[in-house]
Amino acid sequence: MIKKNANFFISLCCILLAAAIHVYARLVSLPFHSNSLILGLYSLAIVFWMQKNQRMILHQEVRRYLLYIGHLLLAYLFVRTVKYDLTVAGSSLERYLWYVYYIILMAIGVFLLFSVLYMDKGRHEKIGGKWSLVYVLLFIFSVLFISNDLHQMIFTFPLGLSNWSDSSNGYGPLFSLLLVYCGAIVLVTFFISTKKLLDRRNVKNIFVTLAVPLVWALYTYFYLRRTDYFSWFFVAFKSPEFNTLVTMAYIESLIYNRLIPTNLDYEKFWDLSSLDIGLMTGNGVFHSKNPSLDLDRSLIQRAEVYPLFLDETTLLESAKVSQGYSYWLTDLSPIHAIREELKNFGDLIAEENELLKAKNQLKKDQASLKRQMEICEFIEGALEDKVLHLEECLGDLGHSEEAFTEGMRLATLVQVYIKRFSNMLLLSQKSRVSSLVELKLAMVESLNYLEIFGVDSHLVWEAEGVLDLDNMLLVYKTFEGVLEGNIRTLEAVLVRLELRERDLVLSMEIENPDPTYEGSRFLGRDFSCQDFVEEGTLYLRAKLFLGGDPDDLR
């Protein structure tokens, strides 16, 4: 624990030592400028704090912005020390250092805001372009500060530039706008971080983050009141140094509440995880929750390309991370249990029980009974041939393992089709359109069941929005018909669905199609299919015309 927090303890010791020097310099006259020594101690504390953040924080953008803040804090204290200890009072250099002092404070607030904005973003996610306005305003105010001698729109000098001082200046018309800008940045930063804590329902630890601005507000209040009770505290921690500590403390409170992800306490996530996971370093050293598992380097590398079955119920998958690999095991026992239930007609019994419950429930509502019965009859009529087909498949599974597998392939595919087609038919009774997510779920479930039997499948989905349910049923029927026609021989299938401006395009590639497959045909005025077989692969392209010329099949 001490090793992990060494930088933090060093930073804390530097800060406490600087406070002690402040107090000692007030009591005893020192033969040197104590501010230079204190600048060195605070700089050392900030550098160690920056190193800790760069080592711990995982998000690249947050890490980058906190690095900027650390450098600005160093510049902030350096400018303050040079201004008061190494420049002539009332000189032009002192005045421009005073301007830079304010610019640095604004930049620290801006970078802290952007650190908060990136907290919940993914590694490659970006924030909205509207936030660029914050940078634009920062640039404008910086230019106005640097050129203040010419226009005096922020600070005015009634006695003239030659007799100026930072205690006798006035305030120009843009000073209030500057305060609004800085206050808005602080409030937005505080609001966003607090909202993220509340969204995570982390009410217990939210007071850690709230305490930091509260302490800063109390310090400012008593500092302005010049309260004697805290005079020695104000001696130990000057205002710029306290502002630096508040900035660092606020960031630390966000890290403490895990709003900023770090690599600390990963062991707890490891122990609490319900997954059977592990890590393999680049040197081939394994770290696993299940150390008795017999795995080797080549097995982990192969599992990155495609999942491997370690036995009938255990699937191994891996992914490359940094200099090694992470891997995890998936228990397929529940899927095998479902397969056994299908073999024993458990699914059919469960569906019949659900239908009986639905009918009993319908009897309680006499006002809607007639409508519900019509819907049931409509579905039964539409799927009658599929139900008979399913019964034939389950009644003729054969005695050989190959015949049984082929029969179960087709039976599984048909039962998924019955269920999903029924769902779409029910939706069509309530509305003319539905989200394309329903069609995607239907296709994904069909392909997932095929993967149980060793069929490699992949779905590329480039369609969002809603679609007329009649057209959705037509597309799903075509998709299912192609799979059923080739189910006994197919080894792999690639499906792509694209929604364009005027049409919906379904593309399928079937590896090792059934020679007896009859091929597609024209299915309607606004729906066309084309297919051909080349080098053992069936290529199909079906186009549903949502508008335009149906003959324009691209």
Side-chain angles (χ1 to χ4, degrees), residues 58 123-124 266 270 277-287 297 300-301 303-305 317-328:
L58 300 177
R123 179 176 297 181
H124 302 292
Y266 261 41
W270 187 285
I277 59 177
L279 294 172
M280 185 186 75
T281 66
N283 299 326
V285 179
F286 284 84
H287 303 276
R297 184 188 186 94
I300 299 298
Q301 292 174 336
E304 180 190 11
V305 181
E317 298 178 82
S318 70
K320 190 168 182 59
V321 290
S322 188
Q323 301 300 318
Y325 288 85
S326 66
Y327 63 88
W328 59 96

Side-chain angles (χ1 to χ4, degrees), residues 60 87 124 172 275 284 449:
Q60 182 177 353
T87 59
H124 302 292
L275 295 175
Y449 272 91

Side-chain angles (χ1 to χ4, degrees), residues 51-318:
Q51 290 179 345
K52 175 184 73 70
N53 289 338
Q54 296 302 300
R55 187 180 68 252
M56 290 171 39
I57 295 174
L58 300 177
H59 197 292
Q60 182 177 353
E61 291 296 328
V62 176
R63 193 165 61 243
R64 180 165 63 92
Y65 279 113
L66 293 187
L67 184 64
Y68 295 161
I69 292 173
H71 285 107
L72 286 172
L73 290 175
L74 291 173
Y76 175 59
L77 295 178
F78 176 78
V79 169
R80 172 251 190 179
T81 302
V82 171
K83 178 179 181 294
Y84 287 104
D85 287 359
L86 303 177
T87 59
V88 178
S91 65
S92 297
L93 176 60
E94 184 188 24
R95 186 170 63 257
Y96 278 98
L97 288 175
W98 186 43
Y99 296 156
V100 172
Y101 192 74
Y102 280 95
I103 294 173
I104 292 174
L105 283 175
M106 286 192 302
I108 290 173
V110 168
F111 290 138
L112 183 58
L113 171 61
F114 277 86
S115 301
V116 172
L117 289 173
Y118 271 103
M119 284 191 305
D120 280 345
K121 300 293 182 182
R123 179 176 297 181
H124 302 292
E125 280 188 273
K126 299 295 182 182
I127 61 175
K130 62 183 179 181
W131 293 104
S132 301
L133 179 62
V134 178
Y135 280 129
V136 174
L137 293 175
L138 174 61
F139 176 77
I140 292 174
F141 277 116
S142 299
V143 172
L144 289 173
F145 264 113
I146 296 300
S147 60
N148 186 71
D149 285 1
L150 301 176
H151 52 74
Q152 297 189 25
M153 298 291 287
I154 298 179
F155 295 113
T156 61
F157 305 104
L159 301 179
L161 291 175
S162 59
N163 297 313
W164 86 278
S165 69
D166 54 5
S167 60
S168 63
N169 66 283
Y171 299 101
L174 292 182
F175 185 77
S176 299
L177 186 60
L178 172 67
L179 292 180
V180 172
Y181 172 71
C182 295
I185 289 177
V186 173
L187 290 177
V188 171
T189 303
F190 181 72
F191 173 78
I192 292 175
S193 57
T194 305
K195 184 177 182 300
K196 290 181 186 294
L197 281 172
L198 293 175
D199 290 343
R200 295 186 178 189
R201 299 181 180 178
N202 196 359
V203 180
K204 179 180 178 181
N205 293 332
I206 193 175
F207 296 104
V208 176
T209 300
L210 295 178
V212 178
L214 178 61
V215 170
W216 178 82
L218 291 174
Y219 177 94
T220 304
Y221 173 77
F222 289 117
Y223 181 83
L224 295 176
R225 292 288 301 271
R226 300 294 179 180
T227 306
D228 294 336
Y229 298 112
F230 302 100
S231 58
W232 285 108
F233 184 84
F234 296 138
V235 170
F237 298 98
K238 301 293 186 181
S239 179
E241 297 158 7
F242 192 80
N243 291 337
T244 300
L245 296 179
V246 166
T247 303
M248 296 166 62
Y250 192 74
I251 294 170
E252 288 297 315
S253 72
L254 299 179
I255 295 175
Y256 173 79
N257 283 312
R258 298 192 180 278
L259 287 181
I260 300 179
T262 66
N263 55 19
L264 292 179
D265 297 330
Y266 261 41
E267 298 85 354
K268 294 182 180 178
F269 290 104
W270 187 285
D271 295 335
L272 295 174
S273 174
S274 60
L275 295 175
D276 194 354
I277 59 177
L279 294 172
M280 185 186 75
T281 66
N283 299 326
V285 179
F286 284 84
H287 303 276
S288 174
K289 292 182 66 176
N290 186 3
S292 63
L293 192 65
D294 187 16
L295 297 173
D296 56 44
R297 184 188 186 94
S298 62
L299 203 63
I300 299 298
Q301 292 174 336
R302 286 165 52 199
E304 180 190 11
V305 181
Y306 54 86
L308 300 177
F309 281 94
L310 298 182
D311 52 44
E312 292 184 355
T313 60
T314 306
L315 185 68
L316 172 66
E317 298 178 82
S318 70

